[in-house]
Amino acid sequence: KDGKLRMIGSNDQGQLGTGASNDNTPQELDWDDIEGDIKQVKVTETETQIITNQNAIWAYGDNLYAQLGRGTRDTKAENYEAKKIEVEGWTEVYAITEHVYAFKSDGTLWAWGSNGVGQLGIGNLTQKTLPNQVGNESNWKEVHAGQGHSIGIKEDSTIWAWGFNTYGQLGIGNTINQSSPVQIGN
C-alpha cells in the first residue's frame, strides 16, 4: 500500500534482507543503497532476487552455490545485504534454491549458480558465480526451472530442455543429462 517491501519468516540465511533473525511480523527492507523501485521479486528458501525499474538485479541471502551472481561462492554475513549484479538490462528473474535464470531486454537467457548436472544450460558442468548466457540465441520467451532440469520456450514456440535426465524427464528420447538446450520434438 505504501510501496515498501516487507519480509516475514525464516531468516537463517539472510534471505529476508532485514538484518534481523527470524521474524513473525513483517519487517521493512532497507532500500537506502538500492537504486530504483521494485519491479519483480523472486524468493526461494535461502535467497531473494529483486529486479528494479532500472532493470538491475539486486540479490541477498545464501550464496553457497553462487546463486547471488556476485563472482564468489561463500556464505559470509555480508551476503545478507542486497547488492547489485554488475550486468544490467534484466527484465525477468527466476530463482531456484541453487541456481538462477534471468532474461535480458535483448531476449537472451542467462544463468548462474549450481551446475553439477548441466542445469544452467551453458554447455558444461561448471558452477558459475557470474551470469552466463544460455546458448547464443536471443529469442527466448519463457523458462520453467526445476531443481536439476529446465524447460525453455522460444519466440517461435519451440520447446527446449536441459539438465538432469536420468529418468527421461527432458522428453528428448534418451536418458542422458544435457548441459546445453536440446529441442523437444524436433
Side-chain angles (χ1 to χ4, degrees):
K1 167 169 150 176
D2 59 7
K4 296 181 181 178
L5 179 62
R6 290 179 176 80
M7 305 293 277
I8 190 169
S10 176
N11 197 32
D12 58 337
Q13 303 294 317
Q15 64 268 42
L16 297 184
T18 60
S21 58
N22 298 345
D23 282 301
N24 59 6
T25 59
Q27 299 294 314
E28 186 175 317
L29 185 65
D30 181 7
W31 280 92
D32 291 342
D33 296 328
I34 298 178
E35 305 149 2
D37 295 325
I38 297 170
K39 180 175 166 182
Q40 182 186 30
V41 177
K42 294 293 181 175
V43 179
T44 74
E45 293 175 28
T46 60
E47 93 264 358
T48 301
Q49 309 274 340
I50 296 171
I51 294 185
T52 67
N53 62 348
Q54 296 178 353
N55 294 331
I57 294 178
W58 292 76
Y60 53 88
D62 180 45
N63 196 37
L64 181 61
Y65 301 99
Q67 65 268 40
L68 298 183
R70 296 181 178 181
T72 63
R73 181 186 152 235
D74 57 45
T75 56
K76 297 177 182 174
E78 63 209 37
N79 293 332
Y80 299 176
E81 298 175 16
K83 289 190 180 165
K84 181 167 64 170
I85 292 176
E86 291 306 315
V87 179
E88 299 204 11
W90 304 110
T91 58
E92 292 183 72
V93 65
Y94 297 89
I96 308 302
T97 301
E98 297 178 4
H99 60 284
V100 177
Y101 295 103
F103 288 100
K104 290 184 80 175
S105 56
D106 63 3
T108 55
L109 178 61
W110 296 71
W112 58 94
S114 182
N115 194 31
V117 292
Q119 63 264 47
L120 296 184
I122 58 172
N124 62 53
L125 303 180
T126 306
Q127 183 179 62
K128 295 299 179 181
T129 61
L130 294 169
N132 282 253
Q133 187 173 347
V134 177
N136 296 318
E137 298 84 14
S138 60
N139 59 343
W140 291 100
K141 181 170 86 173
E142 294 179 47
V143 66
H144 300 277
Q147 196 64 28
H149 70 284
S150 295
I151 305 293
I153 302 173
K154 293 188 177 179
E155 293 291 339
D156 63 3
S157 298
T158 57
I159 301 172
W160 299 73
W162 59 92
F164 186 68
N165 193 35
T166 298
Y167 305 106
Q169 61 266 48
L170 297 184
I172 58 174
N174 64 47
T175 57
I176 301 168
N177 293 349
Q178 301 294 318
S179 63
S180 295
V182 176
Q183 186 174 351
I184 297 174
N186 56 359

